[in-house]
Amino acid sequence: MTTTVTTTVQAPRRQPDPRGHWLVVLCGVLLMVGALVLNGYATNEVGETHAAPATSSSEDLGGVDRGGPLVNLTGEGSQSARVPAKTVALTFDDGPDPIWTPRVLDVLKRHGAKATFFTVGARVAENPDLARRIVAEGHELGNHTYAHADLTGVPAWRLRLEVSLTQKVIAGATGFQTRLVRLPYSSTPESVTGPQVRAMRELGGAGYLVALADLDTKDWSRPGVEKIVRAAVPERGRGAVIMMHDAGGDRAQTVAALDRLLTRLDHGGYRATTLTVALGLGSAYLPAGGFDQVAGSVLGFAQRASGTFTRALSWVLAIAGVLTLARLLFFLALAWLHVRRAKRGRRRTGAAPPWPAPPPVSVIVPAYNEEVGIEATVRSLVNTAYRGQVEVIVVDDGSSDATAARAAALGLPQVRVVRQANGGKPAALNTGVAHASHEILIMVDGDTVFQPDTIGHLVEPLRDPGVGAVSGNTKVGNRRGMLGRWQHIEYVIGFNLDRRAFDLLGCMPTVPGAIGAFRGAALAQVGGLSVDTLAEDTDLTMAICRAGWRVVYQEKALAWTEAPTTIGQLWRQRYRWCYGTLQAMWKHRGAAVERGTFGRRGLGYLTLFQVLLPLLAPVVDVMAVYSVLVGEPLPVVAVWAGFVLVQAMTGWYALRVDRERASVLWVLPLQQFVYRQLMYLVVIHSVVTAVLGVRLRWQTIRREGTFS
């Protein structure tokens, strides 16, 4: 009959869950989104605008098309001014550029010429030192909007925002603001359109002088140095405002043409100066207020930071993608090799001598509120095909339900029920080890059932005296519903396929609590199970590896476990797993500098692929959504489809070698939109908990009695 023993274990003090995690995560996501939006706006990707098509010439242009290149629309009508004879006002648009603007400035300095630079605010924010150099060398700055937006196709608030932000970054860089503005995509007075005139009136109402050009060199199209020079030379000694560009692409032709142009103008008796000097106006600058200077400096810093952050993210995501793909293919190759070796009956160190007789084993079942499933678990352990002696020890860890009574009521002679006050799973397992009669110990969760041949397969690798522990093959028993299918795929691909690779690499990080066999000598050497972490199985496995024992995987030893059936239950389970794994990694961090394969391979793998890359997973999703919304979605969809295809191929192979149906793979693409996010949020939440230094309490889930 079933024997019942009562023992006492002091329950650990439980602390409340730490708070503030989601605030940290939310702040991080908001900062990332803000940086992407700011960078996208500065590069004209967010709120993108393009040149508007030409409109009918019958529109009322208010005489702007017949006037000079500097237009004053600050009053009721329009006034314009022209540059006097033998004078040119050189103007450069779209800068400052860190490569071409300094070269343009060097040419101007060599010829003693001055110019007006209509700067894009985003470029000033990136290169404030160039804006200061332009002013210091006697040139003047004009406003060319913040993101080179077509002001004819934006609402009034966007127009005001474009010029206002540019004024602020100019103020932050130089301490001044400018009265001059030039519309992007504008040219000569003869080419203005009705929408452009309306935008010019809006700017005039804000006090700006609007600059057009007499001669548009169209150097942006790179027509050749000589064509640029010819387009810039005024006819018959006339004065002119000349439009060129010091940014927006390769401006080598512009720099070379500028040198030739200034030489020709000098020989022709021309004076090359700024727009306001050429027209005899006062200074283009107005003193900037302290607030505008500070705001401009902050905006400039924020944009530079966002640009650096976005570029860094792009590199990080590229590296993460390559690592993820490489890891998937590498582990697939190792799994294939493991399957071949298993078929030939060989392990990595060769075949060990057979048992003289099947050794006796002790099976330990820690149970806390497992009333609905404990009978099925115990019966599956007793109804085994294993020919050796099997004792089953059920340790009731202070259950508040009828777990112990159900197990005892079975009346099975090889089953013992040990009751203790609630002390946690590690304490329950240690109690079971203390009551065990045999050297080989098998640990089974109270929600798991074995097949008749599982025990035999599980203890077989322990024939090798160097093997200290064996991991079995855990499978999800309750696979119905989307959540069950997702976990089934994860167990087969993410757990069991990986364990094949870990077996060959000699760095098994975890013998799962659901099914594992241990040599008593190995347990004794590491002092049994530790209560230091919430992942007692990972902690124990790492300790055994560090002690010099081999830990192997036996794919034939099948165990069917009950997986969580709700998102909340899954969250609690994985939160405990992840947090406990982080604790175990930190506890065994010394293995990284020890001899042996576990520290270098196992800890390195866990750190990179189970911690760092999941922390970057939200970045992947945010960047993907951002790219779809503001860019071309096809590349994003293609990359996503490619990864899903590789995962599907890997999944097909994993399911095939595990003798599972591949038809379940239809849920794999959907897994990327809910399940994946849940898993990386678990990692983030766990890392924040660990950083805050708060010990997480044990998380329990409600059992459904899948195998009852």
Side-chain angles (χ1 to χ4, degrees):
M1 60 181 296
T2 304
T3 303
T4 303
V5 180
T6 302
T7 186
T8 302
V9 175
Q10 183 177 2
R13 181 183 178 185
R14 291 183 174 178
Q15 299 181 3
D17 290 347
R19 302 183 183 276
H21 299 58
W22 298 120
L23 181 61
V24 174
V25 175
L26 180 61
C27 288
V29 171
L30 289 178
L31 285 174
M32 179 172 59
V33 172
L36 292 174
V37 170
L38 178 57
N39 184 74
Y41 178 72
T43 55
N44 204 17
E45 293 176 349
V46 175
E48 182 179 10
T49 63
H50 300 285
T55 55
S56 171
S57 59
S58 63
E59 290 187 278
D60 180 17
L61 303 179
V64 174
D65 56 329
R66 299 186 300 275
L70 186 69
V71 183
N72 183 352
L73 295 171
T74 58
E76 291 295 330
S78 65
Q79 298 176 331
S80 63
R82 296 184 183 275
V83 176
K86 292 293 183 176
T87 302
V88 294
L90 294 170
T91 63
F92 295 89
D93 291 1
D94 298 351
D97 182 273
I99 297 176
W100 303 111
T101 301
R103 298 184 186 183
V104 168
L105 290 171
D106 290 343
V107 173
L108 292 172
K109 186 175 183 179
R110 190 162 60 247
H111 287 273
K114 305 299 178 183
T116 301
F117 290 80
F118 286 95
T119 55
V120 174
R123 306 289 81 77
V124 174
E126 293 172 356
N127 308 286
D129 54 327
L130 286 178
R132 288 189 287 269
R133 179 182 171 184
I134 290 171
V135 174
E137 294 185 3
H139 309 289
E140 66 186 3
L141 296 171
N143 191 324
H144 200 47
T145 75
Y146 194 83
H148 202 266
D150 179 17
L151 299 184
T152 65
V154 299
W157 68 265
R158 171 76 184 274
L159 182 150
R160 292 190 294 269
L161 179 66
E162 287 284 333
V163 294
S164 174
L165 291 179
T166 305
Q167 289 283 44
K168 284 181 171 56
V169 292
I170 291 176
T174 67
F176 299 101
Q177 292 186 333
T178 180
R179 296 189 297 154
L180 299 176
V181 67
R182 173 175 280 166
L183 276 67
Y185 309 108
S186 65
S187 181
T188 62
E190 295 81 8
S191 65
V192 297
T193 64
Q196 286 180 333
V197 171
R198 287 191 289 272
M200 291 164 65
R201 291 193 183 279
E202 186 76 26
L203 294 170
Y208 289 97
L209 299 176
V210 182
L212 297 169
D214 291 301
L215 301 174
D216 183 357
T217 63
K218 298 184 179 178
D219 59 331
W220 51 268
S221 65
R222 296 197 290 274
V225 173
E226 190 55 39
K227 286 187 177 181
I228 295 174
V229 173
R230 287 200 302 268
V233 175
E235 296 181 355
R236 295 186 293 276
R238 293 177 180 173
V241 175
I242 302 171
M243 179 187 292
M244 305 177 83
H245 297 79
D246 63 326
D250 187 342
R251 293 293 171 252
Q253 291 185 9
T254 299
V255 174
L258 177 63
D259 191 33
R260 292 192 195 179
L261 173 64
L262 288 173
T263 300
R264 184 177 298 185
L265 292 175
D266 185 59
H267 291 162
Y270 274 85
R271 177 181 60 147
T273 187
T274 64
L275 186 59
T276 56
V277 171
L279 293 170
L281 302 176
S283 173
Y285 297 129
L286 298 171
F291 174 80
D292 286 337
Q293 293 185 50
V294 172
S297 298
V298 171
L299 178 58
F301 173 79
Q303 188 189 308
R304 292 191 296 274
S306 69
T308 302
F309 178 74
T310 303
R311 289 188 294 272
L313 279 187
S314 299
W315 278 104
V316 168
L317 292 180
I319 294 172
V322 170
L323 286 175
T324 301
L325 185 60
R327 173 245 172 219
L328 202 60
L329 296 177
F330 180 58
F331 271 45
L332 184 61
L334 290 177
W336 175 80
L337 182 59
H338 186 276
V339 170
R340 287 179 59 86
R341 290 191 175 188
K343 285 182 178 179
R344 293 198 297 265
R346 291 195 300 113
R347 291 284 167 188
R348 187 164 58 93
T349 58
W355 300 107
V361 298
S362 297
V363 184
I364 303 170
V365 186
Y368 176 75
N369 289 348
E370 301 284 0
E371 175 185 4
V372 297
I374 193 65
E375 292 183 11
T377 298
V378 172
R379 289 187 185 280
S380 74
L381 298 173
V382 172
N383 297 327
T384 177
Y386 185 63
R387 291 176 297 171
Q389 182 182 352
V390 177
E391 71 166 351
V392 179
I393 304 170
V394 178
V395 182
D396 179 61
D397 188 38
S399 297
S400 59
D401 63 5
T403 298
R406 287 287 185 90
L410 293 174
L412 300 171
Q414 64 268 57
V415 177
R416 281 189 287 162
V417 178
V418 178
R419 290 184 173 92
Q420 68 174 33
N422 180 254
K425 187 177 179 182
L429 287 169
N430 282 329
T431 298
V433 171
H435 285 80
S437 306
H438 308 303
E439 168 67 8
I440 295 180
L441 304 160
I442 296 176
M443 298 181 185
V444 186
D445 282 345
D447 61 344
T448 303
V449 298
F450 278 12
Q451 295 191 165
D453 61 352
T454 296
I455 294 178
H457 288 307
L458 191 61
V459 303
E460 184 271 335
L462 290 171
R463 292 187 293 126
D464 185 339
V467 174
V470 182
S471 168
N473 186 340
T474 312
K475 292 180 175 291
V476 174
N478 49 333
R479 305 176 182 179
R480 294 183 178 180
M482 191 65 70
L483 193 61
R485 291 186 177 94
W486 281 338
Q487 292 177 85
H488 167 48
I489 289 177
E490 182 187 27
Y491 271 67
V492 175
I493 303 175
F495 297 160
N496 295 331
L497 193 69
D498 285 1
R499 288 193 178 102
R500 295 177 185 270
F502 290 140
D503 190 352
L504 291 182
L505 294 174
C507 60
M508 188 75 67
T510 305
V511 172
I515 175 172
F518 299 86
R519 193 181 300 276
L523 286 176
Q525 183 176 349
V526 300
L529 287 99
S530 170
V531 296
D532 294 338
T533 73
L534 293 181
E536 79 293 329
D537 47 5
T538 300
D539 189 357
L540 176 62
T541 306
M542 291 182 176
I544 291 175
C545 287
R546 294 183 69 184
W549 297 91
R550 285 181 56 219
V551 180
V552 301
Y553 175 60
Q554 174 54 277
E555 68 281 354
K556 295 180 181 179
L558 302 181
W560 300 86
T561 189
E562 180 180 306
T565 56
T566 67
I567 293 293
Q569 293 174 14
L570 179 63
W571 173 269
R572 288 192 292 274
Q573 181 196 67
R574 298 310 173 87
Y575 191 13
R576 175 177 61 82
W577 286 6
C578 185
Y579 184 82
T581 299
L582 291 175
Q583 289 177 309
M585 290 171 61
W586 180 253
K587 176 180 177 180
H588 296 283
R589 63 191 182 278
V593 295
E594 296 173 351
R595 297 182 62 182
T597 58
F598 170 72
R600 296 191 303 272
R601 298 175 184 174
L603 286 182
Y605 173 85
L606 292 176
T607 301
L608 180 59
F609 290 101
Q610 301 298 325
V611 179
L612 295 181
L613 289 185
L615 290 178
L616 294 174
V619 179
V620 176
D621 289 349
V622 171
M623 288 288 285
V625 174
Y626 172 82
S627 299
V628 168
L629 294 178
V630 306
E632 175 57 49
L634 186 58
V636 177
V637 175
V639 170
W640 174 81
F643 269 99
V644 171
L645 179 61
V646 173
Q647 285 182 316
M649 294 172 59
T650 304
W652 173 83
Y653 180 76
L655 291 165
R656 180 173 177 269
V657 298
D658 249 27
R659 295 180 175 85
E660 297 283 357
R661 294 182 179 180
S663 57
V664 73
L665 287 175
W666 72 269
V667 304
L668 186 62
L670 301 177
Q671 193 179 42
Q672 308 300 311
F673 297 103
V674 177
Y675 196 80
R676 176 176 161 273
Q677 285 74 17
L678 182 68
M679 293 301 103
Y680 70 59
L681 285 176
V682 165
V683 176
I684 294 172
H685 208 51
S686 301
V687 169
V688 174
T689 302
V691 170
L692 292 177
V694 182
R695 182 179 175 87
L696 180 68
R697 67 181 182 180
W698 187 271
Q699 303 285 326
T700 60
I701 62 174
R702 180 171 57 86
R703 302 302 184 191
E704 302 292 337
T706 299
F707 308 110
S708 60

